[in-house]
Amino acid sequence: MRNPAPRRRMGWWTAIFGLLLAVPVPASAEPPDTYVDALADAAPAPDLHWTDCDSGFSCATARVPLDYAHPDARSIELSVIKLPASDPAHKIGTLFVNFGGPGRSGVARLRQRAQWPWLFSDALRARFDLVSWDTRGVANSAPVHCFPDATAQQLFFATYPPMPGTPGGEPAFFAAAKTLADACGQRAADLLPHMSTENTVRDLELLRRAVGDDKLTYHGISYGTYVGALYANMFPGRVRGLVLDGSMDFRGNALGADDADADRPVDTRQDVATSLASTFDAMLEACVAAGPECAFSEGDPREKWQRILERVRREPISWDGKRYDYGTVVATAGELSNPAGWPTVAATLQQLYDLRETPYLPTDVLAETAALVRQVADIGTGSAAIPGLPAGLGGTGANTYDDNYTEAFHAVQCADSRVPRDERRYSALAVSEDQRVPVFGRLGVLTAMTCAYWPQTAVRPYSGPWNRKTAPILIINSRNDPATPLAGAAAGAAELADAHLLVVEGAGHSSMYVHSTCSEAAKREYLTAGTLPANGATCPVDGNPFVRTN
């Protein structure tokens, strides 16, 4: 397994000294590009009627065009939430926040995370209204639904095949991915052509105008960095400050560098597998350093990990009512984005190691899963079914369920990215990527398999440009990020006209999960005072996630 990049040890005095060297953002040598997206510019800003919605938050609904090329044809409503600045007398403006995904509710996440001090310090919340929203297609904003009701949705995903760890599991996995794409294509045909991030950026521009800010101040996390990068190029002169946190290779996400690059899935061309492997190694290093406080630390964790893999390659392990086959174990080990969850991953790995010599016995859960499959086939809603789709999933019904994350994720990701559409290409890449990056290689190939079957009319990647002149942009990325590799963040920074990269010397995905007082201070100084960290500055993390603090 590939070793993580060397880590620079830096004490707090070094971190503080680096921030003191920060210099004010200079006036651009060239004025920002005056380009504006004409479709959004022609649309009226929505009227936001804020009402109290508990715990100090205010909520509103924004009406925007579904199709900006035909703004009078149909409108949709976006759910918006605000936490007002705690010091309104010294308020700078609005900080729009996109927490990533795509597919998760920004409204729900702001409620949950607005008080996280490592993400939004008291000083930052004093100066800005925090505003987030459910982006189009998500949760309460014209949600994409691919099933007639919550029961059909839940049964479908309960029986979805696990990520195939070997070629033998691919046919069922491919068939399920196609079934999902077909279901979405039938039930959400009116929405899918309008789910691209270009349209989400147009929505954001209308929201900026609706709150009355002259320019955009924005914190985008993970997928939210893509939203920010597109805004910078669709409205370059309207950027006040953008923080892109847990960032990516923007061109790589959309089209790839060239035709050969486009013939690889998104996570493969972003080289997520290498970053997964390095983050897994970083987790094991932190585990060993924590000693008995990490359940997997005794002995040689890397050797133990290989023993687990050898076992599940032969046959699964039964534990706690679950079936751990090769693909399941690799996926479990790949749950690395949030270091707060590493102790649970380590405890699971230790349990699997302890059970590696036990015979495999099918569990009651497997029987329940088989029963769920039969239930799906028996639902029946009385309408024509999609070929290959279990009866009931293609029927008509009230779209009343709230959590449409998986459907919304694909509606956006598949719209945004050109990917190969031949199953044989994925099978071949799964083999070659596993050879290049043992264990984790195929994860990067198969994570968004549904996009290979997505309706072609709904695939609408942004084609650039990427380097229109803006005010300086701050990019923050962990040294070992399992979702947005540092190399991709550096490539994305180079694609933008004026972006500055701050590296957090730790592992995990974005400052939403990687606690760093230093990086929060750098972000705050940039957003409030217009200063950037010194070139080449790095930040430490706030401790070992396996070590309990009082």
Side-chain angles (χ1 to χ4, degrees), residues 260-495:
D261 204 21
D263 196 35
R264 297 187 295 163
V266 172
D267 282 351
T268 303
R269 61 189 186 229
Q270 298 265 1
D271 200 13
V272 167
T274 295
S275 201
L276 272 170
S278 67
T279 307
F280 185 73
D281 275 356
M283 183 194 73
L284 294 183
E285 287 180 7
C287 177
V288 171
E293 293 194 69
C294 175
F296 199 55
S297 64
E298 186 177 351
D300 184 342
R302 288 176 175 79
E303 181 181 348
K304 290 162 66 176
W305 169 237
Q306 292 303 319
R307 294 283 185 87
I308 295 169
L309 293 177
E310 289 169 7
R311 161 59 198 268
V312 292
R313 283 190 179 103
R314 296 194 307 270
E315 65 174 355
I317 295 174
S318 300
W319 174 52
D320 195 28
K322 298 178 183 178
R323 177 183 189 270
Y324 286 86
D325 59 16
Y326 182 83
T328 305
V329 168
V330 172
T332 298
E335 294 173 357
L336 302 169
S337 288
N338 186 356
W342 290 4
T344 300
V345 173
T348 300
L349 294 179
Q350 183 61 43
Q351 188 66 47
L352 294 174
Y353 178 75
D354 292 341
L355 293 172
R356 71 192 184 284
E357 303 298 340
T358 61
Y360 171 64
L361 297 174
T363 66
D364 291 341
V365 168
L366 297 182
E368 292 173 6
T369 299
L372 283 174
V373 174
R374 290 192 294 273
Q375 275 185 268
V376 169
D378 291 340
I379 290 175
T381 57
S383 77
I386 300 168
L389 188 65
L393 297 188
T396 58
N399 287 325
T400 56
Y401 56 93
D402 295 326
D403 185 358
N404 72 328
Y405 165 64
T406 301
E407 295 133 282
F409 169 85
H410 288 99
V412 178
Q413 185 63 65
C414 299
D416 279 351
S417 303
R418 183 173 64 180
V419 299
R421 299 182 70 89
D422 187 340
E423 291 177 356
R424 294 169 297 181
R425 177 64 175 153
Y426 290 85
S427 295
L429 279 170
V431 173
S432 62
E433 283 294 292
D434 256 354
Q435 292 171 346
R436 187 180 70 87
V437 186
V439 182
F440 295 106
R442 66 176 43 238
L443 285 180
V445 176
L446 301 174
T447 46
M449 188 67 204
T450 298
C451 293
Y453 313 102
W454 205 248
Q456 191 67 60
T457 55
V459 179
R460 302 187 176 187
Y462 175 75
S463 58
W466 301 98
N467 61 348
R468 287 192 169 114
K469 183 65 177 176
T470 67
I473 294 169
L474 176 61
I475 294 182
I476 303 173
N477 217 84
S478 300
R479 174 71 64 187
N480 295 297
D481 189 314
T484 54
L486 180 58
E495 289 160 8

Side-chain angles (χ1 to χ4, degrees), residues 9-58:
R9 307 292 181 187
M10 182 169 68
W12 278 108
W13 67 270
T14 309
I16 295 170
F17 183 66
L19 290 178
L20 290 175
L21 288 177
V23 295
V25 176
S28 299
E30 304 172 14
D33 194 312
T34 58
Y35 176 86
V36 294
D37 177 80
L39 294 180
D41 219 38
D47 292 324
L48 298 179
H49 301 287
W50 297 103
T51 59
D52 177 77
C53 53
D54 300 327
S55 304
F57 290 92
S58 300

